């Protein structure tokens, strides 16, 4: 079973080469989506599973970003990136299922490609809602099962080995996870054969 210790071990080991591994996907599929998701956010923003900081170039100047992750090695990479970009980033090693922040702390909470990894994604979305202010924003870019049946069958076939290697569930349904946590999306956009979902929740 994939637990938080296993996830931490896998991402600690991949931290130095992670950006190179995901560069093609980021450049061709996600760069525009990240900008669309993040560029209008203001104030205090919490980023769940910040990883190496792929979203950092998309934030406006003056935004106060707090990034959490299970992997301290990933957080080190994110901090180095933020220093180069002159972005106000605080990092904390933390499990997103138990956020160590008071209720209604942040103006926005961001999750990109995280619901596929964490042990209890519904609990994480509930925690995201708890720490965001009334009138705030919750934003997701997530991947899940394709709407193309042939690709979906391939994902089913690859799911077990992919999880063991990358701590990533290929076939989770992010839109259903968000709804199951009690949130009502205000905007949903799916692309790349229905695999990638951009989800906006405006409170």
């Amino acid at each position: 079973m994939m637990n938080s210790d296993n996830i931490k071990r896998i991402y600690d080991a991949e931290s130095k080469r992670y950006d190179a591994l995901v560069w093609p996907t980021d450049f061709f599929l996600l760069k525009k989506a990240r900008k669309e998701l993040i560029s209008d956010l203001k104030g205090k923003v919490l980023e769940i599973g910040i990883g190496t900081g792929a979203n950092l170039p998309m934030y406006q100047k003056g935004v106060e970003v707090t990034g959490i992750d299970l992997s301290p090695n990933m957080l080190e990479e994110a901090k180095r990136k933020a220093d180069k970009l002159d972005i106000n980033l605080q990092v904390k090693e933390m499990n997103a299922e138990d956020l160590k922040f008071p209720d209604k702390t942040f103006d926005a909470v961001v999750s990109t490609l995280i619901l596929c990894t964490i042990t209890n994604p519904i609990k994480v979305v509930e925690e995201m809602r708890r720490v965001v202010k009334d009138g705030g924003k919750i934003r997701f870019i997530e991947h899940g099962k394709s709407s193309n049946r042939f690709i979906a069958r391939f994902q089913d076939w690859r799911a077990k080995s992919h999880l063991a290697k990358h701590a990533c569930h290929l076939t989770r349904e992010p839109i259903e996870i968000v709804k199951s946590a009690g949130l009502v999306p205000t905007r949903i956009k799916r692309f790349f054969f229905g695999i990638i979902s951009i989800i906006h929740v405006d409170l």
Side-chain angles (χ1 to χ4, degrees):
M1 179 180 177
M2 190 61 61
N3 57 36
S4 58
D5 289 336
N6 292 331
I7 295 168
K8 178 179 178 179
R9 174 180 53 78
I10 288 170
Y11 282 95
D12 268 347
E14 290 190 344
S15 61
K16 296 294 184 184
R17 61 193 183 104
Y18 186 79
D19 284 350
L21 287 172
V22 302
W23 179 86
T25 302
D26 251 16
F27 185 81
F28 291 107
L29 281 180
L30 298 178
K31 186 176 181 179
K32 183 178 179 181
R34 291 182 191 277
K35 185 174 183 180
E36 176 185 331
L37 198 80
I38 289 167
S39 61
D40 68 325
L41 299 181
K42 299 177 181 178
K44 296 176 65 175
V45 178
L46 173 65
E47 186 166 335
I48 302 292
I50 193 171
T52 61
N55 291 324
L56 290 174
M58 310 304 173
Y59 286 104
Q60 296 184 42
K61 293 294 183 183
V63 174
E64 299 177 37
V65 184
T66 299
I68 69 160
D69 205 286
L70 285 173
S71 165
N73 291 356
M74 287 284 201
L75 291 174
E76 287 179 11
E77 296 297 318
K79 189 61 178 170
R80 276 194 284 270
K81 195 172 293 181
D83 290 342
K84 289 181 181 178
L85 295 167
D86 193 27
I87 290 172
N88 183 358
L89 173 68
Q90 300 294 320
V91 297
K92 298 178 183 293
E93 185 179 339
M94 192 181 299
N95 189 329
E97 295 177 29
D98 183 22
L99 296 176
K100 305 300 184 183
F101 302 107
D103 295 357
K104 306 184 192 312
T105 298
F106 298 97
D107 298 292
V109 185
V110 172
S111 167
T112 56
L113 307 179
I114 300 304
L115 299 185
C116 59
T117 300
I118 48 191
T119 306
N120 188 340
I122 293 175
K123 174 62 175 173
V124 170
V125 177
E126 290 172 344
E127 279 289 274
M128 293 169 70
R129 174 62 185 95
R130 180 182 65 78
V131 301
V132 75
K133 297 175 183 177
D134 294 336
K137 302 177 185 298
I138 303 176
R139 302 280 177 83
F140 304 86
I141 299 174
E142 302 293 344
H143 73 79
K145 197 164 187 175
S146 175
S147 55
N148 180 293
R149 63 189 180 95
F150 299 106
I151 297 174
R153 286 169 66 180
F154 176 77
Q155 288 176 302
D156 286 336
W157 175 69
R158 285 285 297 161
K160 187 174 181 180
S161 60
H162 189 81
L163 175 62
K165 186 175 182 180
H166 300 292
C168 172
H169 295 79
L170 282 176
T171 58
R172 280 183 175 170
E173 298 284 3
I175 297 169
E176 294 308 313
I177 290 169
V178 170
K179 291 179 178 179
S180 294
L183 298 183
V184 179
T186 49
R187 181 184 175 196
I188 297 171
K189 178 181 177 181
R190 297 182 72 183
F191 62 99
F192 192 56
F193 305 102
I195 294 172
I196 308 296
S197 296
I198 301 175
I199 306 167
H200 291 232
V201 179
D202 297 321
L203 301 171

